[in-house]
Structure formats: C-alpha cells, structure tokens
Amino acid sequence: MPVLLRGGRVVDPAIGLDAVCDVVIDDGRIVEVGEDLKVAGATVIECAEKIVMPGLVDMHVHLREPGFEYKEDVASGTRAAAHGGFTAVAAMPNTNPICDEGSAVRFLVERAAQRGKVRVHPIGALTVGLKGEALTEVADMLAEGAVAFSDDGEGVQNSGMMRLIMDYAKQFDALVIAHTEDEALVGRGVVNEGVISTRLGLPGWPAAAEDIMIQRDIRLSELTGCRLHVAHISTAGSVELVRQAKAKGLRVTAEVTPHHLFLDEEAVTGDYDTNLKMNPPLRAATDREALIAGLLDGTIDCIATDHAPHGPHEKALEFEVAPFGSTGLETALPLVITNLIAKKLASWSDVARWMAVNPRTVLAIDDVRIEAGSVADVTVIDPEARVEVTPEFFESKSANSAFLRATLLGKASEVFVGGRIVLRNGKVVD
Amino acid sequence: MLSTRHIIDIQDLSAEDIALILDTAESFKEVNERRIKKLPTLRGRTVVNLFLEPSTRTRTSFELAAKRLSADGVNFSASTSATVKGESLADTAETLSAMACDLVIIRHKYAGSPRLLTRHMDAHIINGGDGMHQHPTQALLDLFTMREKLGRLEGLTVGIVGDISHSRVAGSLVPALRMVGARPIVIAPPTLLPAAPEALGAEVATSLDEVLPELDVAYMLRIQMERAEGMPFPSVREYANLFGMNSARLARMKPDAIVMHPGPMNRGVEISSAVADSSRSMILDQVNAGVAVRMAAMYLLLGGEANASAS
Ligand SMILES: [Zn+2]
C-alpha cells in the first residue's frame, strides 16, 4: 500500500532539493516527489512543520553481538537506531569473536536480516584479533558484505603494519577507518590531560596522542593512496591536520561524535560520572570549538555516534576501571537539532549532509535520494518534539548516556527502511 | 558542626570548617597526652576502616582515633579488583550500608572512589586517600602541625617538593594552604608535575635551590622508586642531588623554617637522615597530630556536640 508524506519540508542536498512538497513511497521505493500529489488508497502521513530527508546513517556503532549481548544485540541496537532516526548503521568489529573474517561478517549480515530494524553494514577488522600483528582477509570480508575496515578501540601501533594494511586495502579501494591512539603516550589516561586530570587526580590522556597518529596515518594514506577515514576526531590539532590533508587533495575524511561536539572536559566533575568516560576523552573547550568549526567548514564530513552501550554494573565501577563509551544512537539527532539547528548555526541541508549523504559517500553504500526511483530509506523529523533523556527513554539495552537528564529539542517521528515503516509518531513499530 | 556530611575533597570544607577542625584537634591532642586517653564521645557509633590499598600508618591513625572516642571500629576487607565477576565497590557499599555503620573511612587506589560510596550508602565518608586525587585528613594534620610550630598559617610560604603528579598529599595540601591564606609552591622536575599544576592553585618551580630561602616549610614528598611507566628521573642519586633535603640546604633556609614529610621516608633520597632526625624535622609531630585531627574530623562529622567534652 502506498504511503503519502504530505506537506513536509523535503531536504536532500545531494540533488539540491529544499522545498515543501509531497513524497510518495510504494513497493520499497520513492515513486513520486511533487506538489499536491493525490494517490488513491494511500496511507497519508501529515508532515507539515516536519522535515523529510534521506534516511540517516550512523557509520560508527557498537552492536555488541556476538559476545556481549547483555550490553546490546542486533535487535536492540537497531531498534535504538530506528528510534534515533537512522535507517542504517555500520557496526564495529570488536565483538567476541572479533569480526575479522568472512564467516563473522556473514553472521552479522544474516542476523541483521532476521532481527534488524534497520540496515546493518559490517566493518571488518584491520588485523587478526585486533592485535595489530597480522592482516585480515579483506577480499573475503568484502565479498561477504563488509563496507570498511577498522581496529576501532585499538590504534594500530606499528607504523610498518599500518603501511602494510593500507597498501593491501588499496587494491580493493577499501576504506580504512583509523582509531588514532598512540598507546605509549596515552598510558593509563582516562580523561583529557590538563586541568581536569590535575584537579581530579585522574591519569591524563594528552591530545598529542591523537594528533601524532593522525599525522602518521595521513602520511601513510599519501604514501599508499589508500582511502583513510578518521574515527571520532577529538582535538583541534587533528582537525587542522585533516584540513591540510584535504587541501592537498588526499583521500582523507573524518567524523565527529555529538559528545565531542557538545561537551568538553569540564563536564567531568568531582562526581566522577563514568558515563562521561570516553575514548577519546572529552577534550578542552578550545578543541570543542575547533570541532564545531571543522564541521561547519566541511573539514569534518560526518557526525557518527560511536554508540557504545555498557551494562550498569560496569559503569558503576571506579572511573579509572569503568569501560570507555557512551550510548549515542538515540540522542544524536536531538542534540544536533538543539545545539546547531535551534541556534541557527547549521541548516537542515547541513544536517542531511553530515548524517545521511556523506556517510553513504564515505562508506560507498546504497545511494539514497529523495527522488523517484530511489530506495525509500527516509527519515521524517519533528523539530519541535521535546525529548527528556531518562533511562526509560532508550530502546537500547543500555542507558549509559553522557546526556542523561538533559531535555532536548527535536526528534525523528517516522523512519522508513526500504519503504517499510519502522518508526511511527516517534515510536518503534513492532 | 561542619558544613559538610563528608570529607572527601578538602574543598568540601569551608575555611571555617578547617579552623573548627584544627581548634577541636587541639583539645583532643591534650587528651592524648593524658594517661587514660579515652573519651566516651562516640560510644555506640560504628566506624568502618575500608582500606582497599595497604597503608599501615594511616589505618592505625584512624583506628586509634576511633578507639579514643570509644567508637566501635571495625576493619572491613574487600576485594580490590574491580571486575565484572568479583564484588565491586558498589556492592561493598551496599553491604556496609546494610550493616548500618555510621562512618566509613576509605582508602582506595582509584580517584573518585569515596564519591562512588556516597551514591550507595548513607554513612558519612572520610577519604583516607583516593588514587592520585586527595588525602584531606593528611592536609589537615599538616596544617595543624604548621600552625602549632610556626604560630600561624596565613602568609606562610610552603614548598612541596617531589612527585606532585602522583601525590594525593599534594592534591589536598595545595588547595588547603590556599584556603587558609598560605602560599604553596610545588617544586619538582617537569616529569613529576601534573599537566596543569596551576589548576590546584600552586606556584610552580623546577629548582629547589632557587626558592629555598623563601620557604617557611619544606614539605618533602616520598619518591616512589619503582614505576610501571619508567623512571621519571635518571637516577636516585641525581634526584637526591637536585631535590633532596639535606643539611646544606637546611642551612640555607630561614632560621625558623621547618621540614615536613608525610611518611614513610626514603632516607637519603628525598630527605637525609641528619635532617629527618634534626629538631627542625616535624615528622613525628605530624604523626602525633594525625590522631588528634582524625578524632576531630570524626567527632565533628558524627555531630558529637551532644556530649562535647572536648573544648
Ligand atoms: Zn574508537
């Protein structure tokens, strides 16, 4: 049965569209975009005062299945994604077993087909067991559906190994996603090195530990010609390095998380709230400003959440031993609306670029456009909805959000994946 | 009465709180000089020593303080490994809470652990040292000793020498000195300074000899000889030459300046034996003040005003 999205503001920067019009979805595809459309027998969804855009993609999530299903699994993680307005996610390989070979990629593809609310794109490991020692079977994983490769959670410490990886990946034009962390410099670091680490007596993690690795990886991308994507960029120095790499014409892209954009180290207080323990850590205010500037000027291509669910018993540990990470899928869009749209720092086209168009380009996955013939992966946003971030708000199994207790503005109201409605009036459709 | 329920961060206390604790400690110190060193003040109250990191000195000091106030003092040992399988600190807190104890003194290798306890139990908490963060009763006993020996706190220049970056003693003492109007200077090689020492409120010097004549107090920190991260100085010999307190350096200090150390000492490293055993060394006075200050802290936290025999 056809669906008519009536009277929304339809935004798709990839085709230069920003106009109030109707969108008709039928049989998994967008069949018509235009004004005052009439479709016999269609389900009509009123979209006045709402935004209609290509389905959002989160290119950096941890679904935790297999191995850590108490934190999250494919079913709950993709419910959370739908709730957050996403039609697709890319899943990092640090599961147990680690997703470092074709059969593990196939497992995730099959599990997602059975239980996923939204599309799941596996990311394979760069090295066997994320150990940084041996190449993985890139060709085999690509054949099973992997869209990129990363040792996320671990920086590849050995420069020779990273060069080998990039040389090898290059033959397939595979994307290497770098988690940039020089372990010797980080040491036991758990918060940004500076005022907060000093005041709270916590081991510091210097910004240079990221800058140095990004510098190296950009240089290796230049050496090998391999496509490089920088995961969760967090420092002013890194932003500048990516800016220079792009100016040089190198094949380098970058993502930033909402928590690095909208929080800084000052959020970590004498309460030692472990929901604010991230890898990389929340940085200084000047870093945060540089990230916003880098996003607005196009240096940073994508907003990705690094959705990292953990069990409450794990986050209840002492700050130094609690695991790194915060959930992100369900708060990302409301945070962007609250902090960038409502403050008129960004346009809806910008949001569509950062959260829908660019992640697809970087990952080279299914082209989605709001035009006739395209696959109907569509997100409808209610910019006036109010979101109270309470533990009950989450569809994720975990509530370790850095934004607990915040009140945010704006939220996805409808989500279509391949024409199938998975979110309706802000509620996940069962 | 104190303005706070817990003593976790020295800055939980107001300047008035600090003065009240030091004054109360003075009267308790007098009790400690009697033949029968016991007051009935905290009879029936339960004080738990939760020492998850070994420290005989601090634990004994707290134990003695509790005993002299007639509190029921118990040592609770728990697993120090925070693992998913083992009992976590939160579990331990719930257990202690169920046992209805009144005051918990926690020593733990991780910063922030006392704050974590407060989220799981109602008892008063005293931080007996958390990781590299703070050790507030140490700062209080240090202030007590300085006030007793030098007659004032305001206007004193105190050099804190050594491993500032890993020192919870410095973490509490620097802000404490600022609160009472003294001038803290941290003195260390850059490899032993935290990233932002100014965040603690201290001036910074990397040469002990340069600032030595200005100091009323030289506070020598213990140097940890083995480290996982690698030695932050080339040799103990070079460290002692540059940052150790010895008789020659002592001679260059103001005539009434004193030397302090939180213990236990590495004789010949951060302090020479001659200085440690000299009349200018306050090390045993600090230990002695420790019991009185901890009695005062417990007494005031538990609202012992009902039978305020002290003062
Ligand atoms: Zn990462």
Side-chain angles (χ1 to χ4, degrees):
Chain A
M1 192 166 68
V3 175
L4 171 63
L5 303 178
R6 185 150 69 193
R9 178 173 166 191
V10 184
V11 177
D12 186 350
I15 51 171
L17 177 62
D18 186 346
V20 173
C21 54
D22 300 342
V23 177
V24 181
I25 297 169
D26 196 13
D27 201 20
R29 296 202 169 258
I30 293 172
V31 292
E32 205 174 355
V33 180
E35 286 176 30
D36 296 320
L37 301 179
K38 304 265 186 298
V39 185
T43 303
V44 177
I45 296 178
E46 290 298 342
C47 293
E49 312 301 321
K50 290 184 182 175
I51 312 296
V52 179
M53 64 168 66
L56 308 184
V57 178
D58 188 344
M59 64 178 297
H60 190 146
V61 307
H62 298 273
L63 292 181
R64 305 297 191 205
E65 184 176 1
F68 307 102
E69 288 86 350
Y70 67 94
K71 299 175 196 257
E72 196 82 287
D73 57 26
V74 169
S76 66
T78 56
R79 279 183 77 90
H83 189 220
F86 295 93
T87 60
V89 297
M92 285 296 175
N94 58 340
T95 47
N96 184 19
I98 287 159
C99 186
D100 61 359
E101 55 174 24
S103 62
V105 174
R106 186 163 61 239
F107 165 81
L108 188 55
V109 168
E110 284 170 1
R111 188 48 59 102
Q114 293 155 358
R115 304 184 186 175
K117 278 279 170 212
V118 306
R119 300 180 198 277
V120 175
H121 298 284
I123 297 173
L126 290 174
T127 65
V128 176
L130 306 181
K131 288 196 171 80
E133 290 163 2
L135 293 176
T136 51
E137 292 182 342
V138 170
D140 203 35
M141 288 191 281
L142 282 170
E144 295 291 352
V147 295
F149 298 88
S150 178
D151 274 5
D152 185 53
E154 311 280 338
V156 176
Q157 300 301 302
N158 184 312
S159 306
M161 187 68 214
M162 192 62 169
R163 189 251 165 101
L164 200 61
I165 289 165
M166 292 175 92
D167 257 340
Y168 192 79
K170 160 92 181 20
Q171 65 182 313
F172 313 107
D173 201 29
L175 179 71
V176 167
I177 301 178
H179 171 109
T180 52
E181 173 182 349
D182 182 320
E183 286 169 12
L185 256 182
V186 171
R188 296 182 295 119
V190 289
V191 291
N192 188 41
E193 183 177 288
V195 170
I196 294 300
S197 65
T198 302
R199 209 186 287 153
L200 299 185
L202 291 170
W205 176 321
E210 176 171 316
D211 302 353
I212 286 169
M213 287 287 261
I214 288 195
Q215 175 110 336
R216 181 200 73 175
D217 290 350
I218 287 173
R219 191 68 188 78
L220 290 175
S221 167
E222 189 176 18
L223 175 67
T224 60
C226 179
R227 288 198 292 139
L228 172 72
H229 177 78
V230 179
H232 43 55
I233 194 168
S234 77
T235 70
S238 302
V239 174
E240 189 49 37
L241 287 164
V242 171
R243 189 175 285 128
Q244 288 165 11
K246 287 193 162 176
K248 256 175 128 175
L250 302 181
R251 304 175 80 198
V252 175
T253 53
E255 71 189 30
V256 64
T257 73
H259 48 266
H260 291 112
L261 282 174
F262 306 129
L263 292 174
D264 63 43
E265 59 177 344
E266 293 287 338
V268 186
T269 64
D271 285 342
Y272 296 83
D273 180 355
T274 55
N275 288 328
L276 298 167
K277 180 177 175 181
M278 330 283 190
N279 176 347
L282 298 175
R283 297 292 187 186
T286 47
D287 293 301
R288 197 180 82 79
E289 285 156 19
L291 293 171
I292 298 265
L295 185 69
L296 294 176
D297 73 12
T299 301
I300 299 171
D301 303 85
C302 308
I303 295 175
T305 69
D306 193 3
H307 178 76
H310 290 292
H313 61 291
E314 296 169 300
K315 280 291 191 180
L317 297 176
E318 298 87 329
F319 198 94
E320 286 175 61
V321 289
F324 290 98
S326 160
T327 69
L329 280 166
E330 293 165 89
T331 47
L333 180 62
L335 284 164
V336 167
I337 295 170
T338 306
N339 293 294
L340 296 177
I341 292 285
K343 293 181 182 167
K344 303 206 183 322
L345 292 170
S347 68
W348 288 107
S349 287
D350 292 329
V351 174
R353 252 191 301 274
W354 299 326
M355 302 183 76
V357 177
N358 292 352
R360 284 195 178 83
T361 308
V362 172
L363 295 175
I365 52 172
D366 35 86
D367 237 353
V368 171
R369 304 270 180 268
I370 306 294
E371 64 185 4
S374 172
V375 166
D377 284 10
V378 179
T379 298
V380 181
I381 299 165
D382 177 357
E384 302 298 329
R386 283 179 78 82
V387 174
E388 307 282 344
V389 186
T390 60
E392 298 72 38
F393 164 74
F394 296 104
E395 293 287 341
S396 168
K397 283 189 186 179
S398 299
N400 56 304
S401 167
F403 299 96
L404 272 180
R405 292 177 287 282
T407 299
L408 303 173
L409 188 66
K411 180 180 188 310
S413 59
E414 276 74 32
V415 168
F416 295 86
V417 178
R420 186 168 47 90
I421 191 159
V422 296
L423 189 78
R424 179 82 177 98
N425 289 326
K427 300 257 184 297
V428 178
V429 177
D430 284 301
Chain B
M1 281 287 276
L2 299 177
S3 65
T4 173
R5 289 198 71 232
H6 309 294
I7 304 176
I8 291 175
D9 183 318
I10 192 74
Q11 290 173 95
D12 292 344
L13 300 168
S14 64
E16 294 71 38
D17 290 331
I18 290 179
L20 177 60
I21 292 172
L22 299 189
D23 291 345
T24 308
E26 221 162 273
S27 51
F28 282 132
K29 188 159 181 260
E30 182 267 317
V31 170
N32 290 340
E33 279 148 16
R34 294 183 201 159
R35 203 166 61 81
I36 308 238
K37 305 176 176 60
K38 203 148 176 148
L39 295 170
T41 318
L42 296 185
R43 186 172 287 150
R45 314 301 292 271
T46 306
V47 175
V48 176
N49 273 314
L50 182 61
F51 274 59
L52 302 175
E53 188 187 63
S55 164
T56 312
R57 301 165 72 98
T58 303
R59 202 195 64 214
T60 307
S61 181
F62 273 109
E63 272 177 31
L64 270 178
K67 281 205 172 75
R68 289 186 184 169
L69 293 171
S70 304
D72 296 321
V74 289
N75 290 315
F76 191 93
S77 56
S79 133
T80 51
S81 62
T83 61
V84 178
K85 290 178 198 119
E87 186 182 70
S88 69
L89 187 58
D91 293 332
T92 302
E94 310 269 357
T95 305
L96 290 174
S97 198
M99 292 174 180
C101 51
D102 300 298
L103 171 66
V104 177
I105 295 123
I106 175 171
R107 158 69 64 102
H108 197 302
K109 68 174 169 176
Y110 295 125
S113 46
R115 207 66 82 182
L116 196 155
L117 278 194
T118 64
R119 289 201 283 272
H120 296 274
M121 62 192 307
D122 294 326
H124 300 273
I125 309 291
I126 294 179
N127 180 2
D130 63 329
M132 307 186 298
H133 181 221
Q134 290 220 359
H135 189 3
T137 59
Q138 176 75 44
L140 291 166
L141 74 87
D142 292 333
L143 293 183
F144 184 93
T145 306
M146 288 176 208
R147 190 175 81 163
E148 188 175 55
K149 298 300 162 187
L150 300 171
R152 68 197 164 105
L153 291 171
E154 206 176 331
L156 292 182
T157 299
V158 180
I160 303 166
V161 189
D163 188 354
I164 311 298
S165 57
H166 293 85
S167 174
R168 50 190 168 217
V169 175
S172 296
L173 185 54
V174 169
L177 288 166
R178 289 289 300 259
M179 289 167 79
V180 298
R183 173 190 172 211
I185 308 177
V186 295
I187 305 157
T191 49
L192 290 177
L193 285 173
E198 67 284 356
L200 298 174
E203 291 172 45
V204 181
T206 52
S207 164
L208 174 57
D209 285 319
E210 266 173 34
V211 295
L212 204 52
E214 298 175 50
L215 303 182
D216 298 294
V217 180
Y219 193 105
M220 313 311 292
L221 294 172
R222 177 180 167 80
I223 286 297
Q224 199 192 312
M225 312 279 248
E226 317 82 19
R227 302 181 166 283
E229 311 97 82
M231 281 287 277
F233 43 82
S235 66
V236 164
R237 175 177 172 275
E238 179 151 310
Y239 180 84
N241 284 343
L242 292 172
F243 295 98
M245 181 53 65
N246 52 36
S247 303
R249 287 206 166 101
L250 187 57
R252 295 186 50 228
M253 294 183 72
K254 293 179 185 174
D256 59 347
I258 57 173
V259 178
M260 297 174 68
H261 191 295
M265 289 177 280
N266 296 300
R267 285 173 183 260
V269 182
E270 67 269 3
I271 189 165
S272 72
S273 266
V275 174
D277 300 334
S278 78
S279 62
R280 308 274 291 276
S281 158
M282 299 301 132
I283 297 168
L284 294 177
D285 302 76
Q286 287 170 269
V287 175
N288 187 255
V291 178
V293 162
R294 286 170 178 131
M295 286 170 76
M298 291 178 182
Y299 166 79
L300 293 168
L301 272 187
L302 289 178
E305 74 281 350
N307 42 56
S309 53
S311 94

